[in-house]
Coordinates of all heavy atoms in Angstrom, one line a residue:
G228 N 30.5 20.7 15.3 CA 30.1 20.2 16.7 C 29.6 18.9 16.7 O 29.5 18.2 15.6
P229 N 29.3 18.3 17.9 CA 28.8 16.8 18.0 C 27.5 16.7 17.4 O 26.7 17.6 17.4 CB 28.8 16.7 19.6 CG 28.6 18.1 20.2 CD 29.3 19.0 19.2
R230 N 27.3 15.4 17.0 CA 26.0 15.0 16.3 C 25.4 13.8 17.1 O 26.1 13.2 17.8 CB 26.1 14.8 14.8 CG 26.6 16.1 14.1 CD 26.9 15.7 12.6 NE 27.3 16.9 11.9 CZ 26.5 17.7 11.1 NH1 25.3 17.3 11.1 NH2 27.0 18.7 10.5
G231 N 24.2 13.6 16.8 CA 23.4 12.5 17.4 C 22.3 12.0 16.6 O 22.1 12.3 15.4
T232 N 21.4 11.2 17.2 CA 20.3 10.6 16.5 C 19.0 11.0 17.3 O 18.9 11.0 18.5 CB 20.4 9.1 16.6 OG1 21.6 8.7 15.8 CG2 19.2 8.4 16.0
L233 N 18.0 11.4 16.5 CA 16.7 11.7 17.0 C 15.7 10.6 16.6 O 15.6 10.4 15.4 CB 16.2 13.0 16.5 CG 14.9 13.5 17.0 CD1 14.9 13.8 18.5 CD2 14.4 14.8 16.2
V234 N 15.1 10.0 17.5 CA 14.2 8.9 17.2 C 12.7 9.5 17.4 O 12.5 10.1 18.5 CB 14.2 7.7 18.2 CG1 13.3 6.7 17.9 CG2 15.8 7.1 18.1
V235 N 11.9 9.4 16.3 CA 10.6 10.0 16.4 C 9.6 8.9 16.4 O 9.6 8.1 15.4 CB 10.3 11.0 15.3 CG1 9.0 11.6 15.4 CG2 11.5 12.1 15.3
E236 N 8.7 8.8 17.4 CA 7.6 7.8 17.4 C 6.2 8.5 17.4 O 6.1 9.6 17.9 CB 7.7 6.9 18.5 CG 9.0 6.1 18.6 CD 9.2 5.4 19.9 OE1 8.6 5.8 20.9 OE2 9.9 4.4 19.9
T237 N 5.2 7.9 16.9 CA 3.9 8.4 16.8 C 2.8 7.3 17.3 O 3.1 6.2 17.0 CB 3.5 9.1 15.5 OG1 3.4 8.0 14.5 CG2 4.5 10.1 15.0
D238 N 1.7 7.9 17.8 CA 0.7 7.0 18.1 C -0.6 7.5 17.3 O -1.0 8.6 17.8 CB 0.3 6.8 19.5 CG -0.8 5.8 19.8 OD1 -1.1 5.0 19.0 OD2 -1.2 5.9 21.0
P239 N -1.1 6.9 16.3 CA -0.7 5.7 15.7 C 0.6 5.8 14.9 O 1.0 6.9 14.5 CB -1.9 5.2 14.8 CG -2.4 6.6 14.4 CD -2.3 7.5 15.6
A240 N 1.3 4.6 14.6 CA 2.5 4.6 13.8 C 2.1 4.8 12.4 O 1.0 4.7 12.0 CB 3.2 3.3 14.1
G241 N 3.1 5.0 11.5 CA 2.9 5.0 10.1 C 2.8 6.5 9.6 O 2.6 6.6 8.3
A242 N 2.9 7.4 10.5 CA 2.8 8.8 10.0 C 4.1 9.2 9.3 O 5.2 8.8 9.6 CB 2.5 9.8 11.2
E243 N 3.9 10.1 8.3 CA 5.1 10.6 7.6 C 5.8 11.7 8.5 O 5.2 12.6 8.9 CB 4.7 11.2 6.2 CG 6.0 11.7 5.5 CD 5.7 12.2 4.0 OE1 4.4 12.3 3.7 OE2 6.5 12.6 3.3
I244 N 7.2 11.5 8.6 CA 7.9 12.3 9.6 C 8.9 13.2 8.8 O 9.6 12.7 7.9 CB 8.7 11.5 10.5 CG1 7.8 10.5 11.4 CG2 9.5 12.4 11.5 CD1 6.8 11.2 12.2
Y245 N 8.8 14.5 9.1 CA 9.8 15.5 8.5 C 10.5 16.0 9.6 O 10.0 16.3 10.7 CB 9.1 16.6 7.8 CG 8.2 16.4 6.7 CD1 6.9 15.7 6.8 CD2 8.6 16.7 5.3 CE1 6.1 15.5 5.8 CE2 7.8 16.4 4.3 CZ 6.5 15.8 4.5 OH 5.7 15.5 3.4
V246 N 11.8 16.2 9.5 CA 12.7 16.8 10.5 C 13.5 17.9 9.8 O 14.2 17.8 8.7 CB 13.7 15.9 11.2 CG1 14.6 16.7 12.1 CG2 13.0 14.8 11.9
D247 N 13.2 19.1 10.2 CA 13.8 20.4 9.6 C 13.4 20.5 8.1 O 14.2 20.9 7.3 CB 15.3 20.3 9.8 CG 15.7 20.4 11.3 OD1 14.9 20.8 12.1 OD2 16.7 19.9 11.6
G248 N 12.2 20.1 7.8 CA 11.7 20.2 6.4 C 12.0 19.0 5.5 O 11.6 19.0 4.3
R249 N 12.8 18.1 6.0 CA 13.1 16.9 5.1 C 12.4 15.6 5.6 O 12.3 15.3 6.7 CB 14.6 16.6 5.1 CG 15.1 15.4 4.3 CD 16.6 15.2 4.5 NE 17.0 14.0 3.7 CZ 18.3 13.6 3.7 NH1 19.2 14.2 4.4 NH2 18.5 12.5 2.9
S250 N 11.8 14.9 4.6 CA 11.0 13.7 4.9 C 12.0 12.6 5.1 O 12.9 12.3 4.4 CB 10.1 13.4 3.7 OG 9.5 12.1 3.9
Y251 N 11.6 11.8 6.2 CA 12.5 10.6 6.6 C 11.6 9.4 6.6 O 12.1 8.3 7.1 CB 13.1 10.9 8.0 CG 14.2 11.9 8.0 CD1 14.0 13.1 8.2 CD2 15.5 11.4 7.7 CE1 15.1 14.1 8.1 CE2 16.6 12.3 7.6 CZ 16.3 13.6 7.8 OH 17.4 14.5 7.8
G252 N 10.4 9.4 6.0 CA 9.7 8.2 5.9 C 8.7 8.0 7.1 O 8.5 8.9 7.9

């Protein structure tokens, strides 16, 4: 199926982001 991009922002910035259990920085 089709795929896309998820943009994750936080306040404050600099938090470590995991999506579906994988770290993305």
Side-chain angles (χ1 to χ4, degrees):
R230 296 175 180 265
T232 298
L233 182 67
V234 180
V235 182
E236 301 174 334
T237 64
D238 183 16
E243 183 176 2
I244 303 298
Y245 299 74
V246 177
D247 300 333
R249 180 180 177 183
S250 173
Y251 285 91

